[in-house]
Amino acid sequence: MQTAALIVAGIVILLLVLSFFIKDRSKSNEQEIEDLSMNLYQEISQLKKRIKVLEEELMVDTKFIPSKKAPSAPKTVQKKPINEIIVNQVLSLHKQGVSTDQIITLSSLPKEEVQSIIQSRK
């Protein structure tokens, strides 16, 4: 009985000593997860910035300007010129055989503008 207790005590002491020399893998895993989460956060932040820039480029700027002829006349809308990139995309899609309705959906432009772009470049 005493030998069994001594063997168990010896094993406990041996495992205790070994625990000081074995690397703790959880710390390295925690560091890797933290690094990955920071990289993911930075990438998401960059993507949000890019999306914001693209939305601003694609947004049609509408300004309401009062008519000078009659003070009670409704306000007119002045549209910002269409970006050349969007014009090129519309023309490229048209050359590929994409229907006008699909081009309207993809470009978010009104039907009249898409048709005028296609007609002006023929």
Side-chain angles (χ1 to χ4, degrees), residues 10-57:
I11 292 174
V12 168
I13 292 172
L14 179 65
L15 290 176
L16 182 65
V17 171
L18 283 176
S19 70
F20 288 113
F21 295 110
I22 295 177
K23 277 189 170 181
D24 188 14
R25 293 182 186 174
S26 65
K27 288 182 183 179
S28 64
N29 289 343
E30 287 176 10
Q31 185 64 35
E32 284 182 36
I33 290 173
E34 187 176 326
D35 291 342
L36 286 173
S37 65
M38 287 301 293
N39 287 340
L40 184 62
Y41 175 76
Q42 290 172 349
E43 288 177 11
I44 289 173
S45 177
Q46 288 176 352
L47 287 173
K48 285 182 180 179
K49 287 178 185 177
R50 288 180 186 172
I51 289 172
K52 186 175 180 181
V53 168
L54 286 173
E55 285 176 345
E56 289 174 358
E57 286 180 3

Side-chain angles (χ1 to χ4, degrees), residues 78-106:
Q78 181 182 10
K79 293 185 179 177
K80 186 177 179 180
I82 300 172
N83 192 326
E84 192 65 29
I85 295 171
I86 298 173
V87 171
N88 290 335
Q89 283 182 331
V90 168
L91 293 173
S92 175
L93 290 170
H94 181 69
K95 286 179 185 177
Q96 293 173 9
V98 178
S99 71
T100 307
D101 291 333
Q102 288 176 328
I103 294 173
I104 292 167
T105 304
L106 293 171

